Amino acid sequence: MIGRNDPCLCGSGKKYKKCCALKNELSSEALIEEELERIISSFYRNALDSPADTAELERYERAWNRKLGGSLDSGTIEQVVAEYFLFVARRDLWRRHLVKVLNGSIRSATHAVLETWKNPIVLFGKVKDIKENHFLVDEVLGHLTYRVNLAEGMKVEENLLVFGVVLPDSRNHETGVRILDGLTFIYDTNGEFAQSIASMAETSGADNSYDFFKTHMLDIHKAIIDREMNSMNDLVDNELSPEQQEVMVILENELNRLNLPGKLLEFTKMIAIRYLLNEQVVFRKPEIVAAAVFKVAYDYELFGDQWYSQTDIAKMFGVSVGSMMKHADVLYDVIAELAESLENHANSDSDFTAAYWIGTDPWMTERVNWETYCKMSTMDFDTFEATQNYLNATMNEPFKPSGQKQQAQAFAYNAYEAESNGERYRLAKKAYAHDVENVDAVLLQAEMATADDDAERLYQKAIKLGEAQFDPEPEITWGLVTNRPYMRAIFAFGIWFYEHEQFGKAAELFKRLLTINPTDNQGARYVAISAFVYDGNYSKAKRVLEEYEEGTDYDAPYLFLKWLVESERAEEEVDLEFLHVAVQANPLVAHLIEDDAPRLPYPVQASITPGSMEEAQYIWWLL
């Protein structure tokens, strides 16, 4: 019998555990699931093959934006409209896609599942029973009971309402269903909301539930949003004391000036409500708590490109930095718990399952933050209102760098934003010519170097220059825009070492980043784990896994790395449960493993959607 550390019999030259063992560990069920996932993904990509269909979808998007735009961000609206249009309003497009697939070459087990998928279901019902691996849902507008698989980490309670589009899936039960993009869970303790939708259906004149949902899906989404907002207002009115209500009024007045999407506004208010109700908060003046909530929401980047220092926020609310931060320190835990709670309820409209950013280049919003920082560094305002008035007045004015150092940084950002490598390198040389001690300019020189010795020397120079300019004082060091070139240099050098298979050096650089920025805005924990594994340092890899375990139930890169660590540490066969859990988070990785697909280079910048092929390729690079 071949051992996991023996040479693979396929002749690849790799150890068995790093070659064919990966493929053999994938169950047939996982491969079927991966094939089904690919069929759905290809439908989303190719469904609109005529200008008329595209124009029709755009009309729906405009109508839904008019009705929901004040409460949901455009990305979420686009997602729910696409699901509605492709599987409900224009179900013919889905059926046409299935016919093409069924006439092609697919596994017989996959074929059997697809035969049942021709009629997607709008599931609107009440959770009536929860088992170990599934839960049952009674239709509100019908008499069927559906069985829904309970995903890892999904928290479901009896009597919750469930709303979403699903596909019939009788592999485990004759009334089993498969979730598409997600389900919305609605608290309806007294049954009032379910009755309101049932009454809407009764008076609609629709012959069946499908026709009702086809006509009134948008109305139901609007009703859910209105209910959420009314529930929050009821909570404020009935549960908070007059002093606590004053906190909410002060906070909401400031938030309204930012024109936040409804979901972010709601989430920020929920932070305050949970803190006031659960933590038995004692405060001298309500402005202190309002300022602390605003501060932690800002630190979690809920306010987009807005830029504030601690002092700015304290001035905005007329409080001291010290009193504000006493509450903020507790609130960091509250916001983490609330985000995890929303994720565990598997609300498909949640902004916390949105795309995440990876790469060695700056984030797209960084330049705006830097320009704002430069403007503010030369000003001295007595009040926050004066500061805000200045920013509003100069918001649309083009930024003009002052002096060689600012000009160098501006050229560096131009280089990062260039559309071709030639333009990138031309602008990089300009940045370096203006300031040979600009961290990004040196970093770009390292990227351009043709000899490894030169590249290594330049990376080291960039890190040394960045370290001298680094300010460790902010609670979240990444939040200070002038700290980011230093962190970028460490990360880029780590990636360079990793791709040169110097895994030990790479891992130590990534661990250094996690030490100076534990919030890990760059995703260094993932490459640190991978690098430690391939350096043979499994104990350090496991330590990083444990440090960042919280909230990883649906984190596909983390789950695959957890499997990798356990697999690499084991001399015998490892428990396949680790792999099965990971494959559920992103089935497309199984396809890349099975095909031993080529690995793409680590991206300079990429926005990754959970469950996508781009995420699968990123995970495959890590593995």
Side-chain angles (χ1 to χ4, degrees):
M1 176 180 175
I2 185 171
R4 290 177 58 76
N5 288 312
D6 293 338
C8 190
L9 296 177
C10 73
S12 66
K14 302 177 183 177
K15 291 181 180 180
Y16 172 68
K17 68 182 181 182
K18 293 186 180 179
C19 189
C20 290
L22 294 175
K23 303 173 188 177
N24 295 339
E25 286 173 354
L26 293 167
S27 68
S28 59
E29 185 63 31
L31 294 175
I32 293 167
E33 191 61 34
E34 175 271 330
E35 190 167 33
L36 292 171
E37 187 66 33
R38 271 192 291 152
I39 289 165
I40 294 172
S41 297
S42 68
F43 173 60
Y44 275 113
R45 289 195 304 270
N46 305 313
L48 303 180
D49 55 3
S50 77
D53 292 338
T54 303
E56 186 179 2
L57 174 60
E58 289 173 350
R59 285 197 297 274
Y60 277 106
E61 287 180 348
R62 288 194 293 272
W64 285 51
N65 267 297
R66 282 195 296 271
K67 202 157 189 175
L68 306 180
S71 303
L72 298 180
D73 64 275
S74 59
T76 301
I77 294 173
E78 184 178 328
Q79 177 184 328
V80 295
V81 172
E83 183 179 75
Y84 163 73
F85 181 77
L86 297 174
F87 293 96
V88 181
R90 291 295 309 277
R91 195 163 60 176
D92 60 297
L93 297 174
W94 171 240
R95 289 174 172 173
R96 189 187 312 161
H97 177 69
L98 287 184
V99 169
K100 291 179 183 177
V101 175
L102 288 168
N103 288 330
S105 176
I106 55 174
R107 292 178 174 85
S108 58
T110 305
H111 193 285
V113 175
L114 295 182
E115 286 288 353
T116 69
W117 277 11
K118 293 177 181 177
N119 292 310
I121 299 164
V122 178
L123 181 60
F124 181 66
K126 179 174 286 190
V127 177
K128 78 162 189 177
D129 197 8
I130 304 167
K131 303 295 186 182
E132 183 179 354
N133 60 358
H134 67 274
F135 59 98
L136 303 179
V137 178
D138 282 344
E139 280 186 311
V140 169
L141 304 183
H143 305 290
L144 290 178
T145 298
Y146 290 104
R147 169 178 161 146
V148 184
N149 285 344
L150 196 57
E152 184 76 20
M154 182 186 286
K155 299 295 175 68
V156 180
E157 301 172 20
E158 287 191 21
N159 296 320
L160 279 175
L161 290 178
V162 179
F163 181 53
V165 181
V166 297
L167 297 171
D169 191 343
S170 58
R171 282 177 289 175
N172 295 318
H173 192 270
E174 61 181 354
T175 60
V177 294
R178 173 204 175 93
I179 300 169
L180 276 171
D181 284 337
L183 294 173
T184 297
F185 291 94
I186 309 150
Y187 283 100
D188 188 31
T189 307
N190 59 10
E192 182 181 338
F193 186 74
Q195 183 56 48
S196 69
I197 301 302
S199 298
M200 186 192 300
E202 190 175 342
T203 58
S204 68
D207 293 332
N208 51 60
S209 61
Y210 168 73
D211 288 341
F212 167 69
F213 287 123
K214 183 177 179 180
T215 305
H216 292 282
M217 199 85 155
L218 172 56
D219 297 325
I220 297 171
H221 277 289
K222 183 67 167 64
I224 291 171
I225 291 169
D226 290 344
R227 176 179 174 77
E228 289 175 354
M229 297 306 295
N230 290 337
S231 296
M232 184 178 295
N233 292 335
D234 290 343
L235 194 61
V236 171
D237 292 340
N238 299 327
E239 300 295 334
L240 298 186
S241 68
E243 294 78 11
Q244 291 172 329
Q245 290 181 26
E246 193 173 350
V247 171
M248 299 302 299
V249 170
I250 294 166
L251 175 63
E252 193 163 0
N253 285 341
E254 293 300 335
L255 293 175
N256 286 338
R257 294 192 306 103
L258 300 179
N259 295 318
L260 297 178
K263 277 289 178 181
L264 294 185
L265 178 63
E266 178 186 335
F267 183 76
T268 306
K269 290 166 65 177
M270 278 305 302
I271 298 167
I273 292 171
R274 179 167 290 202
Y275 181 55
L276 291 168
L277 289 178
N278 295 353
E279 302 295 331
Q280 298 182 338
V281 183
V282 177
F283 52 87
R284 284 188 302 105
K285 49 190 289 192
E287 288 84 359
I288 295 173
V289 179
V293 174
F294 192 97
K295 175 72 171 68
V296 296
Y298 169 73
D299 286 343
Y300 270 79
E301 300 188 349
L302 299 187
F303 301 160
D305 293 337
Q306 300 287 333
W307 186 87
Y308 304 98
S309 68
Q310 278 188 6
T311 305
D312 289 337
I313 296 173
K315 284 183 177 179
M316 182 194 313
F317 291 89
V319 300
S320 69
V321 170
S323 60
M324 174 181 74
M325 292 311 300
K326 285 180 182 177
H327 291 275
D329 289 340
V330 181
L331 275 160
Y332 290 122
D333 293 332
V334 172
I335 194 172
E337 289 168 5
L338 185 54
E340 183 180 358
S341 172
L342 288 175
E343 182 177 347
N344 286 342
H345 280 301
N347 185 340
S348 63
D349 291 335
S350 169
D351 288 303
F352 300 93
T353 56
Y356 56 92
W357 184 264
I358 65 169
T360 51
D361 277 6
W363 291 12
M364 294 181 71
T365 58
E366 182 180 315
R367 181 173 192 153
V368 174
N369 292 339
W370 172 75
E371 290 178 354
T372 303
Y373 175 87
C374 291
K375 288 179 182 179
M376 300 306 300
S377 64
T378 61
M379 310 302 292
D380 185 17
F381 296 107
D382 294 331
T383 65
F384 179 80
E385 287 73 17
T387 305
Q388 197 63 38
N389 290 338
Y390 171 75
L391 288 176
N392 291 337
T394 60
M395 185 182 303
N396 297 319
E397 293 180 4
F399 174 70
K400 296 178 180 178
S402 174
Q404 292 282 98
K405 291 187 178 297
Q406 284 190 8
Q407 288 172 7
Q409 188 62 51
F411 276 122
Y413 283 129
N414 289 341
Y416 286 128
E417 295 166 4
E419 294 183 0
S420 68
N421 284 337
E423 182 71 359
R424 181 181 178 99
Y425 293 159
R426 184 184 70 79
L427 292 166
K429 289 176 181 176
K430 277 196 169 188
Y432 192 70
H434 276 75
D435 183 6
V436 296
E437 294 190 344
N438 178 279
V439 177
D440 277 314
V442 176
L443 198 51
L444 285 160
Q445 294 297 307
E447 178 189 310
M448 295 161 55
T450 55
D452 286 350
D453 288 348
D454 291 337
E456 190 167 348
R457 175 180 55 80
L458 287 162
Y459 278 122
Q460 289 171 342
K461 179 182 177 181
I463 290 173
K464 185 176 180 181
L465 289 168
E467 187 173 21
Q469 302 166 22
F470 181 70
D471 181 356
E473 288 302 314
E475 311 96 285
I476 299 178
T477 51
W478 181 259
L480 182 59
V481 70
T482 51
N483 279 342
R484 295 188 187 184
Y486 172 52
M487 299 184 191
R488 188 154 49 245
I490 298 173
F491 190 83
F493 196 21
I495 295 295
W496 187 86
F497 273 133
Y498 188 104
E499 294 194 325
H500 282 73
E501 298 187 0
Q502 297 185 52
F503 298 114
K505 292 180 178 179
E508 291 305 325
L509 283 169
F510 297 133
K511 193 68 178 75
R512 177 176 171 183
L513 265 182
L514 296 177
T515 301
I516 64 175
N517 183 32
T519 55
D520 188 26
N521 306 78
Q522 296 166 280
R525 60 191 180 277
Y526 302 113
V527 275
I529 294 165
S530 179
F532 276 132
V533 166
Y534 286 109
D535 190 47
N537 201 328
Y538 307 126
S539 61
K540 286 189 175 181
K542 193 159 187 178
R543 204 171 303 143
V544 178
L545 276 172
E546 291 169 351
E547 287 172 3
Y548 289 93
E549 185 172 16
E550 187 174 350
T552 57
D553 290 339
Y554 305 104
D555 187 340
Y558 179 92
L559 294 172
F560 273 100
L561 287 167
K562 186 174 183 179
W563 163 69
L564 179 69
V565 171
E566 296 299 328
S567 177
E568 289 294 317
R569 289 174 68 237
E571 289 299 321
E572 303 299 329
E573 291 296 320
V574 67
D575 184 353
L576 292 184
E577 184 60 28
F578 289 110
L579 180 59
H580 293 160
V581 170
V583 167
Q584 286 178 3
N586 190 322
L588 298 174
V589 181
H591 172 60
L592 299 179
I593 293 174
E594 183 186 17
D595 293 345
D596 196 18
R599 288 166 174 78
L600 300 177
Y602 191 86
V604 293
Q605 55 180 240
S607 178
I608 302 293
T609 302
S612 66
M613 177 54 77
E614 290 76 18
E615 182 185 63
Q617 289 168 336
Y618 167 51
I619 294 168
W620 184 224
W621 183 89
L622 292 167
L623 297 181

